[in-house]
Amino acid sequence: MASTLGEFDLIARYFTRPARNATLGVGDDCALLAIPSGQQLAVSSDMLVEGRHFLPGADARKLGHKALAVNLSDLAAMGAQPLAFTLALALPAADAAWLEGFSAGLFALADEQAIELIGGDTTKGPLNICITVLGLVPPGLALRRDAARAGDALWVSGTPGDARLALGHVWGEWSLAADDLAAMRARMDQPAPRVALGQALRGIAHAAIDISDGLLGDLGHVLRASHAGACIEADRIPASRVVQAQPAARRRACQLAGGDDYELLFTAPAHRHEAVLAAASKAQTSVACIGRITAAPGVTLLDAQGQELPAHYAAFDHFRTP
Ligand code: ADP
Ligand code: MG
């Protein structure tokens, strides 16, 4: 990396910390990790590209948080316990202030979730952040997308729609008051991955997925994998105060089709209702039952009166949006 701060200085200064659980961390050709017996390794990568997944000029500290958060969210959706991660970074320049902010945001969340940076790659190029997370889950307990069963209750964590409401303001689709915008932007910029909830749901939930592309779109992945359908009571999806105050059509669109909230959408046998609530309480995460899985394919959306809603709330699609 051609700049005043050399590639190896940069790695040493901003991304090297003593190994904790790893046998060998940053600095050699590979990191070395022991996998405890009786555990499976869960592996996932997510890339964040400037202008696609975050706005140009985004705050570096928040970006450090979000880059790791979206990856931790995949571990959460699998019911896996975070273990370690790698970081592949393309940077337009070795900007010390940016690197300080980015690494501070990254390590603050890493410490909170007890996950350790064990290696990566650094190169000059358009800003691009790719993280690979490694987690642990006992065999047979992962929350797979193909595990939903007809008759399961459908649950969601948190208040979906907040991030999309913030994004609509940024895109000029609507306008939010300053304090409402701040609350929604915090949800968009610094999502809280539901790691504790995912692990608490092991052995209780059947299928799970994190909502990155929109509730309906992500539900579709579960339904296709599980060869099932769903019936959702749209008005039972919990809404934040700000989303609740929006006109009904906007609220529904944000909640059903808006992505980037990183809430968990999961199914569980109907008779495990109390067990789900206990798991959520243990994980200090709110959850709500919003519908059920059906044997018949397709999704039915009902309003509070039981009337069917038009099914035009398409999922967020990276290739259709500005
Ligand atoms: P190699 O030449 O074998 O690809 P590098 O010179 O790219 O190794 O990296 C040197 C060491 O620094 C390796 O241990 C690598 O995992 C680590 N590393 C490189 N970039 C990062 C980064 N952004 N964050 C953490 N570790 C990194
Ligand atoms: Mg390398």
Side-chain angles (χ1 to χ4, degrees):
M1 167 166 286
S3 78
T4 47
L5 186 64
E7 175 185 341
F8 298 105
D9 297 333
L10 184 161
I11 296 165
R13 189 175 306 175
Y14 298 105
F15 300 112
T16 305
R17 305 200 312 180
R20 286 196 280 185
N21 294 317
T23 310
L24 189 61
V26 169
D28 211 316
D29 297 312
C30 289
L32 297 173
L33 272 177
I35 300 172
S37 65
Q39 301 273 359
Q40 274 182 333
L41 200 56
V43 184
S44 176
S45 297
D46 249 321
M47 180 152 43
L48 268 71
V49 177
E50 184 171 46
R52 170 55 59 188
H53 303 97
F54 58 91
L55 306 167
D59 178 82
R61 193 186 168 106
K62 290 176 182 161
L63 210 49
H65 173 102
K66 185 159 180 175
L68 182 56
V70 303
N71 278 278
L72 283 165
S73 180
D74 285 318
L75 291 181
M78 216 63 191
Q81 176 193 344
L83 175 66
F85 69 105
T86 63
L87 168 68
L89 257 186
L91 296 171
D95 176 336
W98 190 92
L99 283 159
E100 229 148 81
F102 179 82
S103 58
L106 183 85
F107 284 123
L109 181 61
D111 290 344
E112 180 193 307
Q113 297 289 347
I115 189 167
E116 162 178 35
L117 178 60
I118 56 166
D121 198 21
T122 307
T123 181
K124 193 176 171 83
L127 183 55
N128 193 324
I129 305 157
C130 183
I131 289 181
T132 297
V133 279
L134 308 174
L136 297 174
V137 63
L141 290 186
L143 308 175
R144 296 167 50 139
R145 294 182 182 186
D146 61 4
R149 295 289 170 264
D152 278 0
L154 180 65
W155 296 79
V156 73
S157 68
T159 55
D162 297 346
R164 183 61 182 83
L165 192 64
L167 194 60
H169 176 100
V170 172
W171 282 346
E173 293 174 317
W174 46 72
S175 180
L176 301 177
D179 55 337
D180 289 350
L181 176 62
M184 297 298 97
R185 272 215 76 142
R187 292 267 293 150
M188 177 171 110
D189 294 337
Q190 294 182 283
R194 303 305 189 186
V195 174
L197 179 63
Q199 287 171 79
L201 289 170
R202 285 178 185 169
I204 300 169
H206 277 163
I209 192 167
D210 62 321
I211 304 179
S212 55
D213 295 338
L215 192 154
L216 286 184
D218 288 320
L219 173 63
H221 297 308
V222 170
L223 298 181
R224 269 187 297 279
S226 298
H227 308 289
C231 177
I232 300 179
E233 290 177 56
D235 294 318
R236 282 169 66 183
I237 303 172
S240 63
R241 177 189 55 81
V242 184
V243 166
Q244 191 63 47
Q246 304 303 310
R250 183 186 304 164
R251 170 167 52 87
R252 290 213 171 98
C254 286
Q255 293 212 283
L256 292 168
D260 247 12
D261 285 312
Y262 299 97
E263 295 298 348
L264 290 190
L265 184 68
F266 59 96
T267 82
H271 73 272
R272 302 304 307 274
H273 192 96
E274 291 305 320
V276 170
L277 293 177
S281 156
K282 182 175 154 208
Q284 297 184 294
T285 306
S286 65
V287 296
C289 179
I290 62 168
R292 61 191 168 80
I293 300 297
T294 59
V299 176
T300 310
L301 284 174
L302 304 178
D303 67 12
Q305 284 70 46
Q307 296 292 315
E308 204 164 319
L309 291 170
H312 63 250
Y313 297 104
F316 182 92
D317 182 326
H318 286 284
F319 297 97
R320 273 197 287 107
T321 47

